[in-house]
Amino acid sequence: MSKFNNKKHRRLTALLLCVALMLGSVTSVSADISAADSETEVQNYAEEPTTEAVSYGAPEAQTEVQEGAPVAEETEAPAADTQQTEAHTEAATEAHTETAAETTETATEKVWTAQVGNATVKVTGTEGALPEDAQLRVNEITAGNGKEEIENAVAEQMADNKEEASIQNVLAYDIKFIQNGQEVQPSMPVQVSVDSPEIASDEETAVYHVDDNNNVEDMDGTVDAEGNVVFEAPHFSTYVIINKGSSNITVTLQHYDNASKKKLYSDEAVPLSIGSKINNYCKSGNYDVTEVDEITYTTDGKEVQTKLDDKDNITAMKSTTYRIYYTPNTGTTTGDVTLWDYDGINNTSRGINRNSNYTDTEGKTPRLIMGVKEKNNNLFKSKKYTDATGTNDLNANVCNYGGNTNNKGTLGLVTGLSDDYSTVLWSCDQPGFFTETNASSESGKTVYKDYDLEFNRTGNSYTLANVITPTGDKKHSGAGFWPFGDDQYYFGMRYDVTFKLGDYVGD
């Protein structure tokens, strides 16, 4: 606000002196007019003086009297007259304040203040910018209440402008003025100041206006000497304050099954440059991406998931976490298999269980036979050896072999594979199962290497569906598994598959 010129100053002083002289109560009058004299108050704002306050003092008023009419002698006015004079003087002062505002095209500043959480939002405007009884209302927009969509709109704007900076911190406020229950807009721009401990004043700060259609406008905000964010607002709705970080960010990808909501793969941290497109995040071709959510947290630590509208085109503008939900797809796959057909199990001179097929031909060590114990007792009994139980029953097929008494089979028979994966290693004596040596009708085994296994796949789960013969016939479906026919009980199978568990943590 600029000062009044001297001519106007003298005229007003003379007017005040004339009023005082007519009352005959004082010889001179001085008036000190400032913003403090204004007693108009609104609950949510306070008037503040401008830096150039207008004042009138007694010495200047006395000079005006000397140039004009004679001055009456100084007398002591009665108390009642004094009170009346003061009342008229105050009325004249108020009339002067209104006259000055209208005459000088200046206005008294008004300040509206609102406390939102640990932040203070202050709006400063000139008188007349908003209705006298307008009330300031500020709501912070938090995670789960629309903050993510607003933040993404700002991120897209920054990406379109090719800004090489990440979004480190975000504050979003819905600022409005209400009069009689209706939202009103300022008739001229006002200044907004936000003081929040969440704003890092030593980092680059930007302010954006986001309308109801998520259109973004840069408000050219600044940070003042006190660390408050300041910007000019021509209208009110949503304003976003961000701290900008470096161009290097880290995006965390999480992989979940959509049906069970359980984790499929371990989390992975992906270093990116700001503005990078994330469009190849699917962890496995056995799954289809159903949904991608951005994961944020409220101030009290509650997780908030916000579904991305465009899951196939993600622009990385900040360090954040995306949770990817998968639905398993289905398919069919086949693979080579080796099959052994074992026969002659009850023949001691030929067949798979004959004595010459075992390493210990004397039968002093436990033997594993094809079939069950009752089919060929003489192949695993020896009169030359008695085990710890006091019997000569060295049957590796029985359930109590190796201390296993749960009647669910004998455990620990296979100890692994050889270094080249070609040979199965055993803990007991066996007649050459899963080997290709000595394969003949006399030895009791025939090897087939031209069969295939067919699997039905759902996600990462494979279920055996069929055994496909060299002629294309399918020998297995449902619960039965008879690769050589329904009457062929005694066979072996080896199927090798190469896979990598890696960071798979699913069922």
Side-chain angles (χ1 to χ4, degrees):
M1 182 185 297
S2 59
K3 293 183 178 179
F4 294 108
N5 57 50
N6 292 333
K7 184 176 181 181
K8 293 178 180 178
H9 191 166
R10 288 195 298 270
R11 287 180 179 176
L12 183 57
T13 305
L15 174 62
L16 296 177
L17 286 174
C18 289
V19 173
L21 290 172
M22 290 174 63
L23 295 174
S25 59
V26 294
T27 59
S28 63
V29 179
S30 65
D32 184 12
I33 303 174
S34 69
D37 293 321
S38 177
E39 298 178 355
T40 304
E41 294 183 358
V42 179
Q43 292 181 348
N44 64 334
Y45 71 83
E47 296 184 354
E48 293 184 352
T50 60
T51 54
E52 293 182 80
V54 182
S55 63
Y56 299 89
E60 195 171 354
Q62 291 172 357
T63 302
E64 292 290 343
V65 173
Q66 292 173 2
E67 293 177 355
V71 179
E73 293 181 3
E74 183 176 351
T75 60
E76 183 177 349
D81 290 343
T82 302
Q83 293 174 358
Q84 185 177 9
T85 302
E86 291 174 351
H88 281 280
T89 304
E90 182 178 354
T93 303
E94 292 176 355
H96 164 71
T97 303
E98 295 173 0
T99 303
E102 293 174 0
T103 304
T104 62
E105 298 182 354
T106 60
T108 303
E109 285 186 342
K110 294 183 179 180
V111 179
W112 292 261
T113 303
Q115 190 71 29
V116 186
N118 55 6
T120 302
V121 178
K122 183 183 294 185
V123 178
T124 303
T126 58
E127 186 176 13
L130 286 155
E132 187 75 15
D133 55 347
Q135 304 289 317
L136 173 64
R137 293 184 183 176
V138 181
N139 294 313
E140 183 177 6
I141 302 173
T142 58
N145 294 318
K147 181 179 181 180
E148 293 77 15
E149 290 84 353
I150 294 170
E151 185 176 346
N152 289 335
V154 173
E156 290 178 6
Q157 177 78 359
M158 293 175 61
D160 291 342
N161 294 338
K162 301 186 183 306
E163 296 188 44
E164 295 184 355
S166 60
I167 299 176
Q168 296 293 95
N169 189 33
V170 178
L171 296 175
Y173 297 101
D174 180 20
I175 306 175
K176 63 181 67 174
F177 278 88
I178 302 297
Q179 181 193 36
N180 299 327
Q182 300 294 322
E183 187 173 348
V184 293
Q185 295 290 349
S187 60
M188 61 188 73
V190 294
Q191 187 184 73
V192 180
S193 172
V194 180
D195 179 12
S196 171
E198 297 183 43
I199 298 173
S201 58
D202 58 341
E203 296 180 357
E204 185 180 357
T205 303
V207 180
Y208 298 92
H209 172 256
V210 182
D211 65 15
D212 295 337
N213 296 318
N214 284 336
N215 295 315
V216 180
E217 178 186 3
D218 192 339
M219 303 307 298
D220 295 324
T222 60
V223 178
D224 63 17
E226 298 178 355
N228 303 326
V229 176
V230 180
F231 59 95
E232 189 176 76
H235 47 261
F236 286 107
S237 57
T238 299
Y239 286 92
V240 181
I241 303 171
I242 68 169
N243 281 136
K244 295 183 179 181
S246 69
S247 59
N248 297 320
I249 58 176
T250 300
V251 172
T252 300
L253 301 180
Q254 299 179 340
H255 308 274
Y256 278 71
D257 178 73
N258 187 56
S260 66
K261 307 303 180 186
K262 293 182 179 179
K263 188 173 290 188
L264 283 175
Y265 296 92
S266 300
D267 297 351
E268 54 183 326
V270 182
L272 295 171
S273 297
I274 195 72
S276 298
K277 299 289 185 180
I278 309 175
N279 52 19
N280 187 24
Y281 50 77
C282 187
K283 191 69 174 178
S284 171
N286 292 344
Y287 293 86
D288 298 324
V289 177
T290 303
E291 179 179 328
V292 179
D293 292 358
E294 183 176 6
I295 307 300
T296 55
Y297 296 89
T298 61
T299 54
D300 58 356
K302 183 179 179 181
E303 182 181 279
V304 177
Q305 298 183 212
T306 304
K307 181 179 178 180
L308 300 187
D309 294 332
D310 188 359
K311 61 181 176 61
D312 298 319
N313 187 23
I314 305 173
T315 302
M317 292 300 298
K318 60 178 179 177
S319 295
T320 189
T321 298
Y322 294 110
R323 183 169 297 168
I324 306 160
Y325 287 100
Y326 296 91
T327 298
N329 54 45
T330 60
T332 301
T333 185
T334 59
D336 296 334
V337 64
T338 301
L339 293 168
W340 286 262
D341 183 15
Y342 301 114
D343 57 20
I345 64 169
N346 297 320
N347 195 319
T348 58
S349 61
R350 61 182 299 274
I352 188 63
N353 291 332
R354 66 178 179 171
N355 193 57
S356 60
N357 280 348
Y358 291 91
T359 303
D360 177 15
T361 58
E362 296 184 358
K364 293 183 178 181
T365 56
R367 287 184 175 184
L368 177 65
I369 68 168
M370 175 57 62
V372 293
K373 170 184 176 182
E374 289 76 12
K375 293 292 183 180
N376 204 335
N377 287 337
N378 62 326
L379 295 180
F380 53 83
K381 285 188 175 181
S382 172
K383 296 179 180 180
K384 299 179 180 179
Y385 180 79
T386 302
D387 65 9
T389 63
T391 69
N392 58 0
D393 188 351
L394 302 177
N395 181 14
N397 298 58
V398 297
C399 295
N400 61 2
Y401 171 71
N404 184 352
T405 59
N406 59 10
N407 294 320
K408 292 183 179 180
T410 302
L411 305 180
L413 296 177
V414 175
T415 60
L417 296 175
S418 61
D419 292 340
D420 61 357
Y421 305 109
S422 63
T423 306
V424 178
L425 304 180
W426 301 86
S427 64
C428 60
D429 199 2
Q430 49 82 33
F433 297 134
F434 307 112
T435 64
E436 298 181 26
T437 60
N438 195 27
S440 67
S441 59
E442 290 294 322
S443 66
K445 63 182 175 182
T446 304
V447 183
Y448 297 91
K449 304 185 70 174
D450 48 1
Y451 280 65
D452 290 314
L453 292 186
E454 181 182 66
F455 293 88
N456 290 333
R457 180 188 58 78
T458 300
N460 285 342
S461 297
Y462 294 79
T463 303
L464 179 62
N466 291 290
V467 177
I468 303 176
T469 69
T471 60
D473 296 332
K474 295 184 177 181
K475 292 292 187 179
H476 168 66
S477 62
F481 182 67
W482 307 103
F484 300 117
D486 295 346
D487 59 346
Q488 295 287 355
Y489 289 88
Y490 309 111
F491 60 87
M493 181 182 76
R494 173 169 173 170
Y495 181 80
D496 291 78
V497 58
T498 301
F499 65 95
K500 181 181 180 181
L501 277 179
D503 55 357
Y504 178 74
V505 294
D507 294 334

